């Protein structure tokens, strides 16, 4: 393992990608395919969620199987904000991040004292616990979830407009990726990577290892909460199904397909998985079989995921 | 009367049915080079693990610079000035020697917090210069950009030492620094340790008796988890219990 | 009131014992092969489906149960030799991905073969009614079928105890759970041992699935909810320990069943009605997770960790 270093082609490619994404809604409208703006927004939101998991998993080396709980926490916070009369996204979104981040910190406080298989199962169990909590909470919608009465406004702009929500999601994703890229090369990033490689050594060098892991875990949770709040706006519902472990599994699959630990792994994985879903659904109603087969193939033959396939062709490591 | 910098009182530890450490009383004077010797399986590395905080005793206490550190986690003890090197080389193989030592420098309390999220580390020239200094001290000046995995075994041991030094310890616990080194590298390591001894208090676990008798101000002998003798090299050489423990071989 | 308590206690015992069947196989796979198997619940589901289908075909519960367990064991053998064997040396993440893929395939496969509607599985005629049990000078009725489950569960627990604690194979299993490399170094045919453990675990899953089929619904996705509980059992009991799996399963079974039955009533006595109505079921459903968190706080390795 070498320290993360952005390959030379990353900045130009990312810039081109960003420009393309900015032009996409206009293009879709021109092609009379405005329906797909919603789909694209969904991809952006899951790219954000998957990237937040990538921080915890790929970067921090913590295999968390309960990350969807933080996605759900963000969604519910957004819905509850609206119930409380807060319709301004500039307040609701940070609140969602704070709530999800706090929840993640609490889960991390207990889970991070364990390792390996235990850690994986405990994060899973906590997420499931949160799921049951929301399902049983009748005042929060229970089984059916908590609906949003229309979308929020972002500094005056109504997110009810599909294009506005799209750009809000794009903005959130861009800022997050920028932050992750800087963080990876800063002191925090080096420390977290070194801890992932050899935590005893880092403790022997005076680093409070637990603290760094906890911060990484909480940060990942907070960003997932942001994605959740955006998702609630998109779908109009904060559903307890968002917290189910199958949702966590989906996020995990996205990260693995996209490339664990590479900066854009979450983005690539979300795009591929959701795109695949869209395509396969048209092919057969039993597309889960195909997806399962594909995942097995990836595990057995391309273990580092898609982004790594590109990295091999790319710059120095 | 100056208190010893490291004091161990009645340290005991049991693993399943085995008494690994039996009521060990030990003290380390500031500025000395103290060697800990004993047959294989005597508990020397276990003792070091307890001092550094990798393991916690069943009973007894450890006092460092006057403070009770018995229940403190490893990183806290390191921050107070107690560092260690490992018997089995424990560096980051995929990083350069320089990057390895920079991690050590970065972790120091006086280097500032590592909860920094924006500025790339490569821009912090001061960290790299300091790290290079330590590498020069251990004789690796020419190899700072070499990947740790590509260094020879002896060079890796030297890198271990550089990393431990970079934490600016008051006490350095060296667990068999000469393990697996050939005669030439051993000799260099002995010179290095002599050089270090001028700045740092050293507790040295070693099997190489020539090195031990050359370097040590005092020697302690650990047999079956019990400290059977402490004293100057001559005292230890002459002690009958020690002779029995080693069956008269090395001494 | 005592009748209710007794009934719930027996239900808890029954539930716990079935959880034990699931957890036993799972903890061995984790403990010995260090392999995360998210698809363990799918084996339970497939087992239930095979038992239901075989019962319908043979028009006999017992034949159906036997056929279903056997069929699942064969499936387990196939899975182990083709897929899982390659996963043992891989990292946990790859194991998670592969077994997650298996869940997708299993759920969709079952849906394709048997359709989305739940399958009917009836208990055997002879055990369809209640049994009279003496309770002081009163009588107490409890379903015969549930008593059967308890009996089977206790027998399996006893059998496993004999197997693991007293037999040579059991000694290998315990050694493997404590220290895999050492066991290999001692010349034990670890490969065959792994296969045997996996297949046995699959059979236990099917047994649990088949027995619980008449009580719960045999439907797609039934494995997932019970899998998490099995995980909780193992976390509490300690990975690699059969004893831990039994203790953990009984604790979880008791706490969950009694909690759901008693907690809403208890809360209603203390809190205002609407608060109790919301809090009661919510708290009851997360009770075992809270218990798990509490146990972990003091013993992060569980109650009876097999590894030193």
């Amino acid at each position: 393992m070498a320290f993360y270093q952005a390959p030379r082609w990353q900045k130009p490619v990312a810039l081109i990608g960003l420009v393309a994404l900015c032009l996409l809604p206009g293009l879709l409208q021109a092609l009379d395919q405005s329906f797909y703006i919603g789909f694209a927004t969904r991809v952006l939101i899951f790219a954000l969620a998957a990237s937040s998991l990538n921080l915890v998993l790929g970067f921090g080396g913590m295999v968390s199987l309960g990350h969807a709980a933080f996605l759900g926490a963000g969604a519910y916070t957004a819905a509850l904000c609206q119930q409380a009369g807060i319709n301004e996204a500039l307040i609701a979104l940070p609140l969602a991040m704070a709530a999800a981040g706090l929840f993640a910190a609490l889960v991390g406080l207990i889970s991070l004292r364990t390792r390996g298989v235990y850690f994986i199962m405990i994060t899973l169990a906590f997420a499931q616990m949160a799921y049951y909590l929301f399902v049983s909470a009748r005042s929060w919608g229970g089984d059916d979830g908590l609906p949003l009465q229309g979308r929020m406004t972002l500094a005056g702009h109504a997110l009810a407009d599909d294009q506005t929500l799209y750009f809000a999601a794009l903005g959130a994703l861009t800022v997050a990726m920028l932050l992750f890229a800087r963080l990876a090369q800063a002191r925090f990033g080096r420390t977290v990577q070194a801890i992932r490689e050899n935590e005893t050594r880092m403790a022997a060098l005076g680093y409070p290892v637990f603290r760094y892991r906890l911060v990484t875990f909480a940060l990942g949770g907070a960003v997932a909460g942001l994605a959740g709040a955006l998702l609630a706006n998109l779908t109009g519902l904060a559903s307890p199904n968002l917290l189910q472990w199958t949702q966590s599994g989906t996020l995990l699959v996205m990260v693995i397909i996209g490339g664990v630990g590479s900066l854009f792994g979450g983005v690539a994985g979300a795009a591929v998985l959701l795109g695949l879903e869209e395509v396969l659904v048209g092919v057969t109603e039993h597309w889960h079989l195909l997806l399962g087969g594909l995942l097995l193939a990836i595990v057995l033959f391309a273990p580092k995921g898609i982004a790594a396939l590109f990295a091999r062709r790319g710059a120095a490591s | 009367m100056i208190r010893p910098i490291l004091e161990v009182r009645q340290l005991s530890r049991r693993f399943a049915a085995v008494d690994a450490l039996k009521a060990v009383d030990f003290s380390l004077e500031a500025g000395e080079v103290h060697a800990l010797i004993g047959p294989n399986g005597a508990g020397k590395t276990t003792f070091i693990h307890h001092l550094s905080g990798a393991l916690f005793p069943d009973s007894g206490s450890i006092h460092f610079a006057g403070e009770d550190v018995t229940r403190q986690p490893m990183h806290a003890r390191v921050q107070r000035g107690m560092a260690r090197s490992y018997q089995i080389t424990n560096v980051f193989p995929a990083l350069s020697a320089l990057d390895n030592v920079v991690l050590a420098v970065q972790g120091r309390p006086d280097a500032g917090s590592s909860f920094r999220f924006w500025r790339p580390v490569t821009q912090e020239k001061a960290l790299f210069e300091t790290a290079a200094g330590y590498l020069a001290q251990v004789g690796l000046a020419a190899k700072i950009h070499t990947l740790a995995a590509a260094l020879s075994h002896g060079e890796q041991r030297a890198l271990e030492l550089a990393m431990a030094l970079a934490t600016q310890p008051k006490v350095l616990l060296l667990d068999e620094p000469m393990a697996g080194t050939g005669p030439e590298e051993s000799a260099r390591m002995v010179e290095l340790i002599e050089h270090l001894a001028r700045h740092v208090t050293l507790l040295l676990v070693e099997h190489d008796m020539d090195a031990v008798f050359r370097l040590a101000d005092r020697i302690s002998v650990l047999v079956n988890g019990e400290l059977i003798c402490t004293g100057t090299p001559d005292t230890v050489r002459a002690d009958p219990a020690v002779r029995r423990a080693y069956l008269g071989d090395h001494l | 009131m005592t009748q209710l308590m007794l009934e719930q206690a027996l239900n808890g015992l029954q539930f716990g014992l079935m959880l034990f069947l699931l957890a036993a196989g799972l903890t061995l796979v984790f403990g010995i092969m260090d392999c995360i198997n998210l698809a363990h619940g799918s084996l339970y589901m497939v087992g239930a489906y095979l038992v239901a289908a075989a019962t319908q075909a043979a028009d006999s519960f017992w034949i159906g149960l036997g056929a279903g367990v056997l069929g699942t064991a064969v499936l387990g053998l196939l899975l182990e030799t083709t897929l899982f064997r390659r996963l043992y040396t891989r990292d946990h993440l790859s194991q998670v991905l592969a077994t997650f893929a298996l869940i997708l395939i299993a759920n969709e496969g079952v849906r394709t073969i048997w359709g989305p509607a739940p399958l009917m599985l009836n208990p055997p005629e002879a055990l369809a009614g209640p049994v009279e049990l003496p309770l002081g000078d009163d009588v107490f009725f409890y379903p015969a079928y549930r008593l059967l489950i308890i009996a089977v569960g206790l027998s399996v627990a006893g059998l496993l105890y004999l197997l693991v604690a007293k037999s040579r194979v059991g000694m290998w299993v315990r050694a493997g759970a404590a220290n895999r490399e050492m066991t290999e170094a001692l010349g034990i045919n670890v490969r065959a041992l792994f296969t045997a453990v996996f297949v046995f675990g699959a059979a236990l899953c099917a047994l649990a699935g088949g027995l619980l089929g008449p009580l719960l619904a045999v439907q797609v996705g039934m494995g997932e909810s019970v899998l998490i509980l099995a995980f909780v059992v193992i976390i509490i009991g300690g990975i690699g320990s059969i004893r831990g799996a039994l203790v953990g399963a009984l604790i979880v079974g008791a706490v969950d069943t009694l909690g759901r039955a008693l907690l809403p009533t208890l809360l209603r006595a203390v809190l205002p009605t609407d608060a109790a109505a919301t809090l009661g079921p919510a708290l009851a459903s997360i009770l075992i997770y809270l218990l798990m968190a509490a146990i972990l706080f003091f013993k992060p390795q569980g109650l009876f960790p097999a590894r030193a």
Side-chain angles (χ1 to χ4, degrees), chain A residues 27-28 46 65 81 108 123 144 154 165 177 205 215 237 249 273:
Chain A
L27 183 65
L28 286 173
F46 274 97
L65 208 49
C81 274
T123 49
D144 300 318
L154 182 64
L165 184 59
M177 296 313 289
L205 290 176
V215 168
L237 178 69
L273 193 63

Side-chain angles (χ1 to χ4, degrees), chain A residues 26-252:
Chain A
L27 183 65
L28 286 173
Q29 234 180 10
L31 291 174
D32 207 19
Q33 300 280 354
S34 302
F35 159 75
Y36 279 102
I37 296 182
F39 173 71
T41 311
R42 193 178 158 81
V43 173
L44 289 175
I45 290 175
F46 274 97
L48 184 63
S51 296
S52 73
L53 178 58
N54 201 9
L55 178 73
V56 170
L57 170 63
F59 206 61
M62 298 172 267
V63 184
S64 164
L65 208 49
H67 204 70
F70 312 129
L71 185 70
Y76 269 93
T77 309
L80 287 168
C81 274
Q82 220 191 39
Q83 254 195 1
I86 302 172
N87 214 40
E88 173 52 62
L90 279 180
I91 301 178
L93 293 181
L95 266 178
M97 289 185 73
L102 185 64
F103 181 35
L106 287 172
V107 172
L109 256 156
I110 303 187
S111 317
L112 287 169
R113 301 165 95 231
T114 62
R115 289 285 173 275
V117 160
Y118 277 106
F119 178 73
I120 300 177
M121 293 199 293
I122 287 161
T123 49
L124 179 56
F126 274 125
Q128 204 62 5
M129 171 178 106
Y131 165 73
Y132 282 124
L133 200 63
F134 282 109
V135 162
S136 339
R138 249 167 283 164
S139 52
W140 286 355
D143 226 358
D144 300 318
L146 193 58
L148 274 83
Q149 319 297 344
R151 294 182 186 165
M152 300 179 169
T153 54
L154 182 64
H157 302 276
L159 291 176
D161 175 40
D162 280 344
Q163 284 210 23
T164 315
L165 184 59
Y166 173 90
F167 282 109
L170 182 59
L173 181 64
T174 310
V175 170
M177 296 313 289
L178 193 67
L179 274 172
F180 287 163
R182 291 301 296 211
L183 172 165
Q185 301 183 72
R187 282 196 182 195
F188 182 76
R190 278 203 174 196
T191 309
V192 168
Q193 288 174 84
I195 290 175
R196 182 191 73 211
E197 290 306 302
N198 192 338
E199 70 171 276
T200 321
R201 195 51 173 130
M202 288 302 274
L205 290 176
Y207 290 90
V209 167
F210 183 80
R211 235 173 280 173
Y212 283 92
R213 282 216 161 109
L214 188 60
V215 168
T216 310
F217 196 75
L219 189 58
V223 175
L226 176 61
L230 288 169
L231 189 62
N233 269 286
L234 179 65
T235 58
L237 178 69
S239 162
N241 290 327
L242 274 179
L243 293 111
Q244 274 220 321
W245 73 291
T246 37
Q247 186 69 264
S248 289
T250 306
L251 286 175
L252 205 63

Side-chain angles (χ1 to χ4, degrees), chain C residues 17-48:
Chain C
L17 286 171
M18 288 300 102
L19 270 182
F20 168 63
L21 290 187
L22 279 158
L26 199 57
T27 201
L28 286 179
V29 170
F30 278 2
I32 304 181
M33 290 100 99
D34 196 25
C35 182
I36 294 215
N37 182 11
L38 295 180
H40 198 74
S42 300
L43 286 170
Y44 163 81
M45 175 185 73
V46 169

Side-chain angles (χ1 to χ4, degrees), chain C residues 125-155:
Chain C
E125 286 289 318
L127 297 169
V131 162
E132 258 184 61
L133 297 171
L135 180 65
D137 32 62
D138 208 353
V139 270
F140 157 66
F141 290 99
Y142 194 68
Y145 184 67
R146 285 182 186 254
L147 279 178
L148 168 76
I149 295 183
I150 293 177
V152 172
L154 288 174
S155 316

Side-chain angles (χ1 to χ4, degrees), chain C:
Chain C
M1 186 59 192
T2 344
Q3 278 215 20
L4 184 69
M5 287 279 315
L6 195 57
E7 183 180 347
Q8 291 305 325
L10 283 175
N11 284 351
L13 178 65
Q14 171 233 305
F15 184 45
L17 286 171
M18 288 300 102
L19 270 182
F20 168 63
L21 290 187
L22 279 158
L26 199 57
T27 201
L28 286 179
V29 170
F30 278 2
I32 304 181
M33 290 100 99
D34 196 25
C35 182
I36 294 215
N37 182 11
L38 295 180
H40 198 74
S42 300
L43 286 170
Y44 163 81
M45 175 185 73
V46 169
Y49 265 91
L50 286 179
V51 169
T55 305
Q56 279 183 9
D59 204 22
S60 155
F61 179 79
W62 300 108
I63 297 181
L65 188 64
V69 170
L70 202 64
T72 312
V74 169
L75 180 66
L77 182 66
L78 281 170
L79 279 175
E80 203 275 342
T81 46
T82 54
L83 177 65
F84 279 88
R85 200 167 273 189
R86 283 175 228 223
L87 292 178
Y88 297 149
T89 48
R90 300 286 296 273
D91 55 296
H92 288 314
L93 199 54
S94 300
Q95 294 167 354
V96 164
L97 183 61
T99 49
F100 186 73
L102 277 181
I103 294 178
L104 290 177
I105 295 176
N107 278 340
E108 197 54 46
V110 158
R111 193 200 315 253
T112 310
I113 299 177
W114 284 290
L119 274 193
M120 278 305 297
L121 179 58
N122 293 316
E125 286 289 318
L127 297 169
V131 162
E132 258 184 61
L133 297 171
L135 180 65
D137 32 62
D138 208 353
V139 270
F140 157 66
F141 290 99
Y142 194 68
Y145 184 67
R146 285 182 186 254
L147 279 178
L148 168 76
I149 295 183
I150 293 177
V152 172
L154 288 174
S155 316
V156 173
L159 181 73
L160 268 175
Y161 168 70
L162 283 176
L163 206 64
V164 170
K166 305 284 182 191
S167 77
R168 179 167 287 183
V169 176
M171 181 179 66
W172 293 342
V173 165
R174 271 179 295 138
N179 189 331
R180 187 193 353 175
E181 287 87 15
M182 196 49 162
T183 314
E184 282 176 337
L186 289 173
I188 308 293
N189 185 352
V190 173
R191 223 180 202 201
L193 188 66
F194 283 8
T195 308
V197 168
F198 191 86
V199 171
F200 190 58
L204 288 177
C205 279
L207 184 62
L211 285 175
L212 284 176
L215 296 175
L216 313 170
V218 177
Q219 59 187 1
V220 175
M222 66 189 279
E224 275 69 279
S225 45
V226 85
L227 177 72
I228 310 260
L229 286 179
F231 279 179
V232 173
V233 164
I234 293 176
I235 293 171
I236 292 179
I239 292 182
S241 162
I242 297 279
R243 185 177 15 155
L246 185 59
V247 171
L250 291 176
I251 292 178
V252 170
V255 169
D256 190 57
T257 311
L258 289 171
R260 281 178 203 275
L262 299 176
L263 203 56
T265 325
L266 278 172
L267 283 182
R268 241 174 281 143
V270 191
L271 294 174
T273 11
D274 32 293
T278 318
L279 208 57
L283 209 58
S285 59
I286 66 169
L287 205 56
I288 16 165
Y289 298 100
L290 292 176
L291 176 70
M292 177 192 80
I295 292 184
L296 277 177
F297 195 74
F298 298 105
K299 300 203 102 192
Q301 300 256 341
L303 295 173
F304 303 101
R307 283 190 216 137

